[in-house]
Amino acid sequence: MREVVLVYLDRSGGLQKFVHDCKKYNDSKQSYAVYRFIISINPSDIAELDATLGNYILHNPLQAAQIFQSVCFVAIKTLSLIEQLQTEAQISILLKPTHLPPLPSYVLSLSTYPFNYTSQRFYMSEGIVIAMGTVTKYTQGARFLCTEETCPFSEGFRCIRVHCPGATESATVRTDFVCSLCSSPLQEDMKFRVLGDKQIVEMIDAKILNALKGYSTDKSHFRIQAFTLFLR
């Protein structure tokens, strides 16, 4: 699947954009804990190249992003795109699909029972925004060092925490992380914390428009409830 990823990026122009993004990182001469890349993907085009990879991206996007991460790391090292990059863990890949299959199973509808949204895959949702919070900061990535000076993880970029979709802030930054090598406490290197913007949005199902238009129904009671989205 790594070969298919490379072929797709080359044919779709994603590889050229990736090289351009790497150049901006490399020209900054600043060492980052996490290098974040947004890659636009067309699920239909990928499925035509390799059905297995296309299905993997649609239904296991977090694991599929790791395949793209591996390919991007090899490309950076082979072409010497970012001199400061040391480990594969420093690369954060966000897959951004251009569209999803027009099928009911890919539509997130909180008015349909039973709810079956336990999988961490892509969904489409359509609604009306009724409230928006202010833009605040969140931690996209952080570098941790082992407090044991003789441990190999006390230097370099071996312990990297990267925010994953659906995770809370405490999953990325906490004070109780321990070294996987010697079990000593880990301490964050604040100089390398990478911040991003987030905004909380309240949405409501588009079906509320029918109620606002004054349509009468046979049901004596109905309930419309808003749901919360985190835009990062």
Side-chain angles (χ1 to χ4, degrees), residues 4 8 11 42-55 99:
V4 179
Y8 173 75
R11 292 183 180 180
N42 186 322
S44 300
D45 291 346
I46 294 180
E48 290 182 3
L49 287 175
D50 187 274
T52 301
L53 178 60
N55 184 71
H99 66 280

Side-chain angles (χ1 to χ4, degrees), residues 19 41 70 80-81 90 108 120 160 167 176 204 211 228:
V19 172
I41 54 174
S70 177
S80 300
L81 298 176
Q90 290 180 261
L108 177 65
Q120 294 182 322
I160 301 294
D176 59 347
I204 201 164
T228 304

Side-chain angles (χ1 to χ4, degrees), residues 125-143:
S125 180
E126 183 180 22
I128 304 169
V129 175
I130 61 174
M132 298 177 65
T134 57
V135 177
T136 58
K137 297 293 183 181
Y138 79 102
T139 304
Q140 287 183 350
R143 175 199 188 193

